Amino acid sequence: MKTICLYFEIHQIIHLKRYRFFDIGTDHYYYDDYANETSITQIANNSYIPALKTLIEMAKDNDGAFKVALSMSGVGLEQLERYAPQVIDLIRELGDTGCCEFLAEPYSHGLSSLAPDGGEEFLRDETKRLVDKVNLLFGKKPKVFRNSSLIYDDEIGQMIAGMGFKGVLTEGAKHILGWKSPHYLYHSEMNPDLKILLRDFKLSDDISLRFSNPAWESYPLMADTYMDWIAQSPEEDGIFNIFMELAALGIYQPLSSNILEFIKALPQCAAQRGIGFATPIEIIKNCKSVAGLEVPYPMSWTDEERDISCWLGNVMQREAFAKLYSIGQRVHLSGDRHLLQDWDYLQASNNFRFMTTKNNAVSMDRGIYESPYDAFTNYMNILGDFMMRVNWALPQDMDIEEINAFQTTISNQDKKIQSLEKQVARLKSAMKPAKAKK
């Protein structure tokens, strides 16, 4: 039986404001609140709210036959809580249908998995905080991981497996697959327990990028035609991973294009052709991996190259990235709430993408920036102030190993206190019956 794994990403960037060199040391607030509120409100009204209502309706109308997966960044959830709490309510309602699986990802939607000397530590911390937030908001604990922009390689796979995840979503990039098909379940060559679901980028992009393009040869695309493509594929092709941003429904493909009507018709058209839907964890549990997949270099779902060149492809990007993560340990050790929040926002991958000098077929909206050099200058000004604040909290001449030892001592003391408190509680509980007899 052919099975569709439909997945949507929810993430919104934190807009940085214009920050001059002369602001360093005097202005410690880096964000354009108006732009943040405006953008999240627009995308909530034009995409997230109508799209989520459609998915909820699909889940309720198809008696469990329709399944979907969502992955949400921590910074995206923070913005939704602040500016569009009704979206949080709709996500919770979708989760309560039992037809939606929540996935884990880095809290910042950043590139922590690529950080030198400590990438695993940063990724582990970010992922734990995201899992805790999803559990707090929606009462679900993710078992499958997807990295920012589906970035993955063998080393990252080891990190993900080490965190206890059953599987990972990534791109079905041709330069990795070669003659292989993305329509199977694979596993990590280095860790067979970690299963890999590969995105079918053509079928995904047919919806997210081409659906409303009148110049496209398949325009207008109908749900029955789309399902025919899947049904008519080779018999042995069993899994069709359709991954995209939720913003594709309403923003990249406007509501006027009837994109939601198309999505809503998919389950019925699929059922007529014997095609089912499943969540990532269901596929991992019910399907057998056909082979190991070796990914020596990072791949992603971005640009034609499907690599990480759009974030770290030039000298400016690599310099900004190295500077940021050079203070990562100090930020974590500081324990300062404001520094930790700024750390999340400055890690976001879009900050580095704005600095790209690549010539892409699709023009990129750089927001307030006139050029990649403008984006680099603004970011480095902000980073300069941020680094100054980190050094105020933890001076550079303080030895990291000494700080770590001190933090470990405090942590051990906290654990001992908690253990003693539990013992006291047990003793008090045991004494109550004795007092009652007297």
Side-chain angles (χ1 to χ4, degrees):
M1 179 180 179
K2 297 183 186 298
T3 304
I4 294 173
C5 180
L6 183 62
Y7 152 80
F8 294 104
E9 170 197 78
I10 295 179
H11 167 67
Q12 279 301 295
I13 68 173
I14 298 292
H15 293 270
L16 301 180
K17 69 180 182 182
R18 278 289 178 186
Y19 194 91
R20 303 172 302 161
F21 174 80
F22 301 103
D23 293 326
I24 299 175
T26 60
D27 181 2
H28 308 314
Y29 193 76
Y30 313 133
Y31 315 108
D32 186 336
D33 289 335
Y34 176 78
N36 287 324
E37 182 175 5
T38 301
S39 62
I40 198 68
T41 301
Q42 178 188 19
I43 200 168
N45 291 333
N46 295 329
S47 174
Y48 292 170
I49 291 174
L52 287 166
K53 286 181 177 179
T54 297
L55 294 175
I56 291 168
E57 186 178 348
M58 292 166 68
K60 292 179 177 179
D61 289 348
N62 289 280
D63 298 322
F66 172 72
K67 302 291 179 68
V68 68
L70 289 182
S71 180
M72 302 151 290
S73 70
V75 297
L77 287 172
E78 284 182 15
Q79 287 197 84
L80 290 171
E81 287 179 292
R82 186 177 301 128
Y83 301 121
Q86 63 272 44
V87 175
I88 298 292
D89 294 336
L90 288 170
I91 296 171
R92 187 178 295 113
E93 185 179 348
L94 178 60
D96 290 342
T97 65
C99 297
C100 178
E101 178 183 353
F102 295 113
L103 309 183
E105 68 167 78
Y107 193 95
S108 70
H109 196 79
L111 307 174
S112 55
S113 60
L114 302 174
D117 303 325
E120 183 171 2
E121 176 188 346
F122 297 139
L123 181 63
R124 185 180 294 272
D125 171 78
E126 283 206 74
T127 304
K128 182 182 183 304
R129 289 190 291 118
L130 189 281
V131 167
D132 290 345
K133 192 167 187 70
V134 168
N135 196 25
L136 176 66
L137 290 175
F138 311 114
K140 310 288 184 181
K141 190 171 183 180
K143 297 178 181 178
V144 177
F145 184 87
R146 61 87 63 187
N147 204 0
S148 309
S149 300
L150 300 188
I151 295 172
Y152 178 82
D153 65 10
D154 291 334
E155 187 175 343
I156 294 171
Q158 288 289 79
M159 299 180 196
I160 296 167
M163 289 187 281
F165 289 104
K166 304 297 183 183
V168 60
L169 278 59
T170 189
E171 179 73 354
K174 287 184 177 179
H175 68 276
I176 295 296
L177 281 175
W179 57 268
K180 299 186 184 74
S181 167
H183 301 146
Y184 297 91
L185 182 67
Y186 294 90
H187 62 261
S188 167
E189 190 70 60
M190 298 178 67
N191 194 320
D193 290 334
L194 181 72
K195 302 304 186 288
I196 303 174
L197 287 85
L198 298 172
R199 174 179 181 257
D200 184 316
F201 61 83
K202 181 190 180 300
L203 287 174
S204 301
D205 292 349
D206 283 343
I207 298 175
S208 64
L209 298 183
R210 292 182 279 271
F211 181 81
S212 62
N213 181 6
W216 179 36
E217 59 183 11
S218 297
Y219 177 87
L221 179 62
M222 300 297 176
D224 54 355
T225 301
Y226 190 80
M227 284 302 164
D228 282 341
W229 293 345
I230 294 176
Q232 293 165 8
S233 64
E235 185 177 347
E236 58 273 18
D237 285 4
I239 302 169
F240 294 80
N241 298 310
I242 314 299
F243 304 160
M244 69 193 77
E245 296 179 52
L246 188 60
L249 311 183
I251 299 297
Y252 308 144
Q253 307 304 320
L255 297 178
S256 59
S257 69
N258 294 320
I259 183 66
L260 293 183
E261 287 73 14
F262 169 83
I263 293 293
K264 191 175 178 180
L266 291 179
Q268 184 177 355
C269 293
Q272 292 170 352
R273 292 158 178 79
I275 300 170
F277 285 82
T279 62
I281 195 64
E282 289 175 340
I283 289 175
I284 289 168
K285 287 180 178 179
N286 299 326
C287 298
K288 186 177 180 180
S289 171
V290 297
L293 198 65
E294 187 176 357
V295 188
Y297 305 106
M299 63 177 175
S300 75
W301 71 355
T302 304
D303 293 347
E304 292 183 6
E305 296 84 357
R306 316 288 189 197
D307 59 14
I308 58 172
S309 59
C310 65
W311 302 289
L312 299 175
N314 63 43
V315 174
M316 294 184 297
Q317 292 169 311
R318 291 191 291 272
E319 180 182 349
F321 185 75
K323 285 277 188 184
L324 176 66
Y325 283 97
S326 70
I327 56 170
Q329 281 189 309
R330 292 182 177 275
V331 173
H332 280 233
L333 291 171
S334 74
D336 183 281
R337 180 170 59 89
H338 297 294
L339 286 177
L340 288 168
Q341 185 177 59
D342 290 339
W343 168 252
D344 281 335
Y345 297 166
L346 293 178
Q347 281 188 92
S349 61
N350 61 281
N351 293 316
F352 302 95
R353 184 154 170 73
F354 289 150
M355 303 176 199
T356 186
T357 50
K358 290 177 62 177
N359 291 319
N360 296 315
V362 180
S363 61
M364 185 181 67
D365 180 8
R366 297 183 194 269
I368 63 172
Y369 307 121
E370 297 177 2
S371 69
Y373 313 101
D374 185 26
F376 173 74
T377 301
N378 200 69
Y379 184 81
M380 293 304 284
N381 286 341
I382 291 173
L383 188 56
D385 183 82
F386 181 68
M387 294 177 72
M388 185 183 298
R389 290 166 55 210
V390 172
N391 288 331
W392 287 342
L394 284 176
Q396 286 183 321
D397 56 4
M398 291 182 70
D399 187 83
I400 289 291
E401 291 185 4
E402 291 180 7
I403 297 172
N404 274 325
F406 181 64
Q407 293 269 355
T408 301
T409 300
I410 293 174
S411 177
N412 290 337
Q413 287 177 343
D414 287 340
K415 290 178 182 177
K416 189 171 183 180
I417 290 170
Q418 290 173 8
S419 177
L420 291 171
E421 286 176 345
K422 288 179 181 179
Q423 290 183 37
V424 170
R426 283 196 297 268
L427 289 171
K428 284 182 177 179
S429 179
M431 289 172 65
K432 285 180 181 179
K435 286 182 179 180
K437 288 180 181 180
K438 291 181 180 179

